[in-house]
Amino acid sequence: MVLLFGVIPPVLLLAYVWRIDRVESEPAGLVLKVLLFGGLSTIAAVLFETVGDIVLGLFGIPENTYLYAFLDCFIVVAISEELVKRWAMMKAVWRRPEFNYFFDAILYSVAAALGFALIENVEYIALFGGEVALGRLIPVHTICGVFMGYFLGMAKMCEIHGNLSGRQTYMVMSMLIPVLIHGFWDFALTTGSDLLTVLALLMVLCLTIYAFVMVHKRAKADHPLW
């Protein structure tokens, strides 16, 4: 079950995104390196989240409240996980000569996100079994990776052209949008609210379609960063 629901889906999804990168295809070894970095970044995420929960506990907010869930999901979990995934991508390829086309940013960000998701899938399914297996197929990490990659591609272009203010803006956006998506998804599931869960599922459905279209559009119209 771990292999079927936890490992195979992220690997197949990454292979699919890599295959549609036809204008200037990326080396498979480098894509796998980013996947590995994304997986290893789960260690840092656990550390950040542990510290974050300790700090959050110092405020004395009851854990069974919406306020605690909001702060934990958006500030502790979403920021920690999106930050380490972005770090994994940038650490692996930001200065590499292979990172020279716009779609590369999306591909590598998705690779980091799927590496993270793969390890998280294995952990959750090993701990909770079949009751969470189907839920791990919902591609929230992938959606966040697509949006993060788009904004990182814009940031890289600004960096190359010496537009430092533009780079800063897009770097912020590369965190802000994924954190909002990730945070709301976790918040809806954590609270157990039927209304929020329905809204979160609709959000994921719409964003999955949007991300699918964006990935194909950007792959087809790929261009150098300079």
Side-chain angles (χ1 to χ4, degrees), residues 18-19 21-28 98 104 107-108 222:
W18 178 62
R19 288 285 294 175
D21 181 23
R22 295 175 181 173
V23 174
E24 197 261 348
S25 185
E26 296 307 290
E98 294 90 344
D104 298 352
L107 172 60
Y108 289 130
D222 198 15

Side-chain angles (χ1 to χ4, degrees), residues 68-225:
Y68 185 94
F70 178 87
L71 294 174
D72 190 44
C73 292
F74 281 91
I75 306 301
V76 177
V77 176
I79 289 180
S80 296
E81 295 189 3
E82 297 308 323
L83 186 65
V84 299
K85 286 186 290 183
R86 190 178 73 171
W87 174 86
M89 180 275 196
M90 295 184 68
K91 182 68 175 178
V93 301
W94 194 260
R95 302 296 178 191
R96 293 287 298 254
E98 294 90 344
F99 182 24
N100 55 355
Y101 272 66
F102 190 90
F103 191 75
D104 298 352
I106 294 176
L107 172 60
Y108 289 130
S109 292
V110 168
L114 287 172
F116 189 100
L118 191 156
I119 299 301
E120 193 177 65
N121 289 349
V122 171
E123 177 189 1
Y124 273 72
I125 296 173
L127 288 174
F128 303 109
E131 63 185 89
V132 301
L134 287 177
R136 301 311 304 172
L137 297 178
I138 298 174
V140 175
H141 282 299
T142 308
I143 293 168
C144 292
V146 170
F147 283 97
M148 180 180 288
Y150 171 81
F151 290 115
L152 286 177
M154 297 298 294
K156 184 67 173 179
M157 281 203 302
C158 288
E159 178 182 289
I160 290 173
H161 291 92
N163 181 359
L164 298 184
S165 63
R167 180 189 187 278
Q168 183 177 9
T169 297
Y170 286 117
M171 288 298 288
V172 170
M173 294 297 291
S174 74
M175 277 292 296
L176 179 61
I177 301 304
V179 163
L180 291 176
I181 295 169
H182 191 158
F184 182 67
W185 173 255
D186 284 357
F187 179 67
L189 298 186
T190 300
T191 60
S193 164
D194 291 339
L195 175 61
L196 289 177
T197 300
V198 170
L199 290 176
L201 288 170
L202 288 173
M203 175 193 75
V204 169
L205 176 61
C206 293
L207 291 178
T208 298
I209 295 170
Y210 185 87
F212 181 83
V213 173
M214 177 193 289
V215 164
H216 279 266
K217 180 179 178 180
R218 289 291 168 180
K220 186 176 181 180
D222 198 15
H223 57 83
L225 288 166

Side-chain angles (χ1 to χ4, degrees), residues 3-15 35 114-115 117-119 121 136-137 142:
L3 184 64
L4 180 62
F5 291 98
V7 177
I8 293 177
V11 171
L12 290 179
L13 192 51
L14 178 58
L35 181 75
L114 287 172
L118 191 156
I119 299 301
N121 289 349
R136 301 311 304 172
L137 297 178
T142 308

